[in-house]
Amino acid sequence: MQDKNITPQALWVKLAFRLFFRELKRGELTIITAAIALAVLTVLTLSSVTDRIGQSIEQKSNTFIAADRKLGSAHPLPDEYKTKSKEYLLKTADQIFFDTMLFANDNLQLSSVKAVSKEYPLRGELIIKDDLTEQANDYAVKTGPTPGNIWLSESVLYALDIKIGDKVELGAMNLIAQKVLVEEPDAPFNIFSASRRVLINIEDVPATQVIQPGSRVYYAMLFAGDEDNIVSYYKWLKPKLSENQSWWGVKDKQSWLSGSVNRAEKFLLLAGLLGIMLAAVAIAVSAKRYCENQYDPVAMMKTLGGSRSNVRKIFVLHLSLVTIFAIAIGLLFGFALQLIAVDYLSQSMDQALPEASIRPWFIAIATGATCALMFSLKPLLDLFDIPPLRVLRRSLGDSIAVSKLHLLLSALTIFSLMLLFSGQWMISSILFLSSAALVGILYGISRLLFKAGRGIGLSPGSSWSLAIASLQKRASANSVQLVSFALAIKLLLFLLVLKNDIINDWQSQLPVDAPNAFLVNVTHEQLDPIENMLSAKGISTTGFYPTVRGRLNAVNDELLARDYSEQDNEKKDEEAKSGIGRELNLTWLTEVPSQNEITQGKWFDTGVTGEASVEEGLAERLELKIGDSIEILIGSERFNAKVTSFRKVNWSSLKPNFFIILSPDLLSSFPATYISALHVPKESKKSLNVLLKTYPTITMIDVDSFIKQIRSTISQVSIAIGFVLVIVMFCGGLVLISQVQASLQERMQEVVILRTLGAKGRLIKLATLYEFFLLGLIAGLVAAIFSDIALLLVQQHMFELAGKLHPMIWLVGPLIGAGFVSSLGYFMIAKTLKKNTSDLLRVLS
């Protein structure tokens, strides 16, 4: 009686829910639910983990500038900037940089002074120690010196011949030498700048009376806070910035670190994109299979009088319920997995990872819903067209063709999801187009191979014959499987090789014996005794490079723009060609430095004079061509040199590098100082104090702390990359599982038929194993080739690595594909092969 009162609207809703719960209970929704959940899980896990790792890497990197952002100028910064920042909940600190003479015990030393406010540093820590004795240990502090005190680097203490507690005269003020300054988070890594580091409180600057009109001073304001607040603050600040004020973060500076951070973030982004592609493939396969499984129920409904409209409503709601349920499952497991991942990474990195934003959840839900809709759209439309006669003739509807429009919409869906996730056209296009080419070519090749299988002429009763016959029988289905296998293998090979190339490139630039110190301001007379002293202590060098300060004055007799003073109301010369804006460190060499590569032209000819080699970035900026003439100004002397080569310089190498190298005849007559990079073992560090005391005019720059920070960052990034790679490989394996599951019912039917015809169990097992072996072998070979092509493009255009082919993966790819797919495929159907024929028939019914 109650059913009679149910409205037609409520009836189809009730039927949809009944169908959903019945199929859920019977396990018929396993494949599509698992596929959608896999997509959501993959995207949520990868997005959350990469988001948190990216934030962690950026926070770690921000310690290199002691803040999240830095605002600098050669003139005092307005107080308005700091006042306004408080409205955006930002922390701030002030800095003033200048060079001056320090006096103590009748000794004097030119030093680089950094005056800081009490809030400094906003990120990172200062490392100090209490005295110069061997018993003194380094320790970290969160704030700088208090007023009246000065912290000095070891080299300054040695040069002034003082100890902790002595007075140091800085301008008109006497300060107490309170601590030994060991490390600063934002210490400049410039081997040509002054290395005599000194730290004072900014409140002491006025009393020193050092800063006078015309003094060369640099002012900086540090900012730290929530990234969204910083971005909002910069939107307010940007229109107010003048030309002589610069705003930047750690990734804005062209440094070794910024390149490493950018590479790491791009790799994590790639991993997320590959995860999306793998998940989309799994849904595309399972959605088609899901709709095919509904052919019989739809035919039955139409036989019982159900209209096409009601059938459409029932199955649209049914699919919506499946999608919602699968998304919820994916979110649940994805959240749990990313918690496990974050906990592992936090322990490995020895630091807590920041919280992820809401964006990964949004992308995960959007991915699951969009994929379910777009990949099910055409199969659903086909489902509604199933004729009622299928209840009598089960083959009706099986020949429905795949629509080209559906394929196009599916491809656009995948590309749109990749673009949504990455926000970058180039990286999305390279991966998408290379994968699309793989799909198209491999599908065509596979159809030809499988159709030609009958002509091989193997023994009728052999396992190989049965395997090839099975491949040929399911040519279309196996072609799709082959494409899916190849796509998964291609993406995994791509990520694995790229990960190794990136980390190997980092590690090659920082080998164990990399230089960790520099000697600067060495005179010609000091060369021999210093080299002998270093050799006696077992300290290796990169050789001594002569340096002369000079200015690039003109190109082809056209003067370059020089510096101009805004303070003195001087106007920029708009007609002059853009120049360097500062003096350069020039050198002369007879051979190309090991860390340089000639990219155009040729190195200096023996006996030819007046030649110059220019770094390719500078050449591009000045629009130089081989054969151009450049004018160099040193003091009051000027001379011309002919550009004979351009060089690619590895600025990441811890060795002296130069924008311009001149032939020896041009510079050898000028007074020069020498510079060298050293590798100083830890046990030899103390012995260098003798050298500094013997030659107080020499500057030694210790970059051990810089290298330690870089290696720490690389280690953390490597752990993160490795973990993300494991997640993507796991997702790739699940894609392969979903493909095998999709064909499981058809394979069960084949097993029943073969057993009925008298085939032995061993024959069927081997045939199945060989079938998957051939699928994996072909998929692995094609995947390796396309993966290498994509790698070549990505390495050159995204990661600024030397693009190269990897012939080894052409061999490894097929072996991995054959072994992985055959093992996985056989494992998946092993349970089916163990069942007796009556059990299989019961399952199929």
Side-chain angles (χ1 to χ4, degrees):
M1 293 294 294
Q2 189 175 4
D3 287 343
K4 293 181 180 180
N5 296 326
I6 297 178
T7 63
Q9 177 75 12
L11 181 61
W12 65 260
V13 171
K14 185 177 181 180
L15 284 174
F17 273 92
R18 278 186 176 179
L19 184 64
F20 169 71
F21 287 114
R22 181 176 66 86
E23 293 189 347
L24 183 65
K25 185 177 180 180
R26 292 177 57 183
E28 296 179 14
L29 299 179
T30 302
I31 296 176
I32 189 168
T33 302
I36 298 174
L38 168 64
V40 175
L41 177 152
T42 300
V43 175
L44 178 61
T45 304
L46 284 176
S47 298
S48 298
V49 172
T50 53
D51 182 23
R52 299 177 76 164
I53 290 173
Q55 291 184 56
S56 175
I57 293 172
E58 187 166 345
Q59 288 182 8
K60 173 76 175 177
S61 306
N62 286 344
T63 62
F64 283 78
I65 61 171
D68 294 330
R69 299 292 191 280
K70 192 169 187 175
L71 176 64
S73 173
H75 307 288
L77 295 164
D79 291 335
E80 177 192 13
Y81 293 173
K82 182 185 293 187
T83 303
K84 189 68 176 179
S85 70
K86 295 178 181 177
E87 298 181 16
Y88 293 87
L89 306 178
L90 302 182
K91 296 185 289 184
T92 61
D94 295 308
Q95 295 177 320
I96 301 176
F97 300 84
F98 56 89
D99 291 343
T100 190
M101 298 298 295
L102 300 182
F103 298 88
N105 294 341
D106 296 326
N107 296 315
L108 66 160
Q109 175 61 50
L110 177 64
S111 299
S112 180
V113 179
K114 177 165 67 178
V116 298
S117 62
K118 62 182 180 180
E119 297 84 5
Y120 169 86
L122 299 180
R123 302 289 187 204
E125 298 174 325
L126 288 159
I127 307 298
I128 59 175
K129 58 183 180 179
D130 294 328
D131 54 59
L132 289 173
T133 61
E134 293 186 3
Q135 293 75 25
N137 294 319
D138 301 347
Y139 59 95
V141 293
K142 292 287 189 180
T143 187
T146 54
N149 295 305
I150 184 171
W151 294 358
L152 309 163
S153 60
E154 288 189 36
S155 58
V156 176
L157 287 164
Y158 287 129
L160 294 176
D161 193 21
I162 61 173
K163 59 183 183 297
I164 296 301
D166 289 347
K167 289 185 178 181
V168 177
E169 185 178 344
L170 196 166
M173 187 177 185
N174 286 324
L175 299 166
I176 303 298
Q178 184 188 34
K179 302 290 181 182
V180 180
L181 181 60
V182 179
E183 293 179 19
E184 307 160 78
D186 58 339
F189 182 63
N190 185 341
I191 59 177
F192 293 112
S193 64
S195 70
R196 310 292 191 178
R197 308 294 300 165
V198 173
L199 201 63
I200 66 172
N201 192 286
I202 202 167
E203 295 179 15
D204 289 331
V205 173
T208 65
Q209 301 178 21
V210 169
I211 299 178
Q212 299 295 328
S215 298
R216 295 178 65 88
V217 184
Y218 186 79
Y219 299 84
M221 194 176 291
L222 306 180
F223 299 87
D226 182 78
E227 183 66 20
D228 292 336
N229 291 343
I230 292 177
V231 172
S232 299
Y233 172 71
Y234 181 56
K235 289 179 180 179
W236 171 86
L237 177 67
K238 186 175 180 180
K240 301 180 182 297
L241 294 179
S242 60
E243 291 182 356
N244 63 352
Q245 295 173 344
S246 58
W247 168 274
W248 52 278
V250 70
K251 290 188 289 187
D252 297 320
K253 292 294 181 179
Q254 295 301 313
S255 66
W256 200 101
L257 179 68
S258 64
S260 300
V261 173
N262 287 329
R263 280 185 185 180
E265 291 186 346
K266 287 177 182 177
F267 183 90
L268 297 176
L269 180 64
L270 269 175
L273 286 175
L274 300 189
I276 286 180
M277 293 183 71
L278 290 170
V281 170
I283 293 182
V285 172
S286 59
K288 186 174 184 300
R289 185 63 184 170
Y290 158 78
C291 291
E292 290 174 350
N293 288 339
Q294 305 302 321
Y295 284 178
D296 291 340
V298 168
M300 185 67 69
M301 288 181 186
K302 288 185 175 181
T303 303
L304 297 175
S307 66
R308 191 176 190 277
S309 174
N310 285 335
V311 169
R312 183 173 62 248
K313 291 176 182 178
I314 290 171
F315 280 94
V316 167
L317 178 57
H318 180 245
L319 180 63
S320 299
L321 294 173
V322 172
T323 302
I324 294 171
F325 176 73
I327 289 176
I329 294 293
L331 291 176
L332 179 63
F333 282 93
F335 178 70
L337 184 58
Q338 66 98 17
L339 284 181
I340 296 171
V342 168
D343 182 64
Y344 167 77
L345 290 170
S346 296
Q347 293 180 15
S348 301
M349 294 180 171
D350 196 26
Q351 68 179 68
L353 295 181
E355 291 297 323
S357 63
I358 195 66
R359 186 170 180 268
W361 290 81
F362 167 75
I363 294 178
I365 294 173
T367 299
T370 303
C371 287
L373 171 65
M374 297 305 296
F375 296 139
S376 303
L377 186 60
K378 177 59 169 61
L380 270 179
L381 294 177
D382 293 340
L383 178 64
F384 305 148
D385 291 333
I386 292 298
L389 280 176
R390 181 179 169 86
V391 297
L392 299 177
R393 296 177 58 188
R394 298 291 302 277
S395 61
L396 286 176
D398 287 350
S399 60
I400 296 176
V402 177
S403 168
K404 293 180 179 179
L405 178 61
H406 180 236
L407 292 177
L408 178 61
L409 288 175
S410 299
L412 290 177
T413 300
I414 293 176
F415 183 73
S416 299
L417 289 171
M418 294 171 67
L419 200 57
L420 172 68
F421 182 82
S422 68
Q424 297 188 20
W425 281 93
M426 178 174 287
I427 181 175
S428 300
S429 299
I430 290 176
L431 284 178
F432 178 78
L433 292 176
S434 64
S435 300
L438 179 146
V439 169
I441 293 175
L442 188 56
Y443 185 79
I445 293 175
S446 63
R447 291 303 300 269
L448 291 175
L449 287 174
F450 297 150
K451 285 187 176 181
R454 290 179 175 176
I456 295 180
L458 294 174
S459 172
S462 72
S463 299
W464 281 107
S465 296
L466 191 58
I468 293 174
S470 180
L471 288 174
Q472 192 277 334
K473 177 186 175 184
R474 289 193 299 271
S476 296
N478 282 331
S479 296
V480 174
Q481 275 196 338
L482 185 61
V483 168
S484 299
F485 292 157
L487 188 59
I489 295 169
K490 177 241 178 184
L491 298 180
L492 295 177
L493 284 175
F494 176 90
L495 211 56
L496 180 63
V497 176
L498 182 60
K499 174 245 185 187
N500 290 335
D501 282 354
I502 290 175
I503 294 178
N504 289 340
D505 182 70
W506 284 340
Q507 292 175 341
S508 68
Q509 295 177 25
L510 280 178
V512 177
D513 59 348
N516 57 1
F518 291 87
L519 286 184
V520 185
N521 296 329
V522 179
T523 65
H524 188 270
E525 292 75 18
Q526 295 170 337
L527 278 178
D528 289 340
I530 288 177
E531 286 184 320
N532 292 334
M533 184 179 296
L534 294 175
S535 178
K537 297 184 180 299
I539 297 174
S540 59
T541 74
T542 58
F544 284 82
Y545 294 79
T547 61
V548 177
R549 298 282 290 178
R551 178 178 290 274
L552 180 57
N553 198 48
V555 174
N556 295 327
D557 298 325
E558 180 184 356
L559 289 175
L560 300 179
R562 64 177 181 83
D563 291 342
Y564 64 100
S565 172
E566 290 188 354
Q567 186 168 328
D568 296 325
N569 298 318
E570 187 178 9
K571 300 298 182 182
K572 180 180 180 181
D573 185 356
E574 300 294 344
E575 296 182 0
K577 187 174 182 178
S578 178
I580 303 301
R582 61 181 176 86
E583 287 192 334
L584 299 174
N585 290 282
L586 309 172
T587 191
W588 68 91
L589 298 172
T590 57
E591 296 181 358
V592 184
S594 60
Q595 68 273 19
N596 289 201
E597 176 187 351
I598 300 295
T599 57
Q600 191 175 345
K602 60 180 181 178
W603 189 247
F604 307 142
D605 286 329
T606 305
V608 179
T609 60
E611 295 185 323
S613 178
V614 182
E615 187 268 337
E616 61 180 5
L618 177 62
E620 182 179 353
R621 174 181 167 187
L622 297 178
E623 299 178 350
L624 292 176
K625 300 185 295 294
I626 297 296
D628 282 349
S629 174
I630 58 175
E631 181 183 87
I632 304 295
L633 178 64
I634 300 177
S636 60
E637 296 187 40
R638 62 188 70 209
F639 56 86
N640 290 316
K642 179 183 178 182
V643 177
T644 59
S645 66
F646 297 147
R647 288 170 295 111
K648 182 178 181 180
V649 177
N650 182 7
W651 296 105
S652 302
S653 67
L654 295 174
K655 297 179 181 179
N657 280 309
F658 303 87
F659 282 106
I660 299 176
I661 299 177
L662 299 170
S663 56
D665 62 283
L666 293 176
L667 283 185
S668 56
S669 60
F670 288 91
T673 58
Y674 290 78
I675 179 174
S676 181
L678 320 174
H679 175 70
V680 185
K682 187 175 182 180
E683 60 272 12
S684 300
K685 283 281 178 97
K686 298 293 183 181
S687 63
L688 281 182
N689 295 340
V690 178
L691 186 145
L692 295 176
K693 290 179 180 179
T694 307
Y695 302 101
T697 60
I698 293 177
T699 300
M700 191 187 83
I701 306 173
D702 188 345
V703 294
D704 240 353
S705 59
F706 175 83
I707 294 175
K708 184 171 66 176
Q709 287 179 297
I710 288 291
R711 284 193 171 129
S712 172
T713 301
I714 291 176
S715 175
Q716 294 185 7
V717 170
S718 300
I719 292 171
I721 285 176
F723 189 86
V724 170
L725 180 63
V726 170
I727 294 177
V728 176
M729 291 183 70
F730 177 70
C731 295
L734 290 179
V735 169
L736 300 183
I737 291 174
S738 68
Q739 276 288 8
V740 176
Q741 282 184 330
S743 64
L744 199 58
Q745 186 173 9
E746 187 175 356
R747 293 182 183 279
M748 291 168 64
Q749 292 174 345
E750 286 186 359
V751 171
V752 171
I753 293 172
L754 289 171
R755 285 179 177 174
T756 303
L757 295 175
K760 295 182 179 180
R762 186 173 184 276
L763 177 70
I764 299 174
K765 289 180 181 180
L766 288 177
T768 303
L769 187 63
Y770 294 158
E771 181 182 354
F772 282 114
F773 177 84
L774 290 173
L775 283 172
L777 187 71
I778 299 171
L781 177 61
V782 179
I785 295 173
F786 276 85
S787 176
D788 217 8
I789 294 172
L791 273 169
L792 188 65
L793 295 174
V794 169
Q795 285 176 327
Q796 291 178 332
H797 296 288
M798 283 188 57
F799 292 92
E800 299 177 356
L801 295 172
K804 60 180 181 180
L805 295 176
H806 304 79
M808 181 58 69
I809 69 172
W810 298 4
L811 175 63
V812 174
L815 294 177
I816 291 178
F820 187 56
V821 173
S822 58
S823 301
L824 183 62
Y826 184 79
F827 173 78
M828 289 292 297
I829 66 167
K831 187 181 294 186
T832 298
L833 296 176
K834 291 179 181 179
K835 291 182 179 180
N836 57 44
T837 305
S838 59
D839 289 338
L840 290 176
L841 288 172
R842 192 178 299 110
V843 173
L844 290 172
S845 63

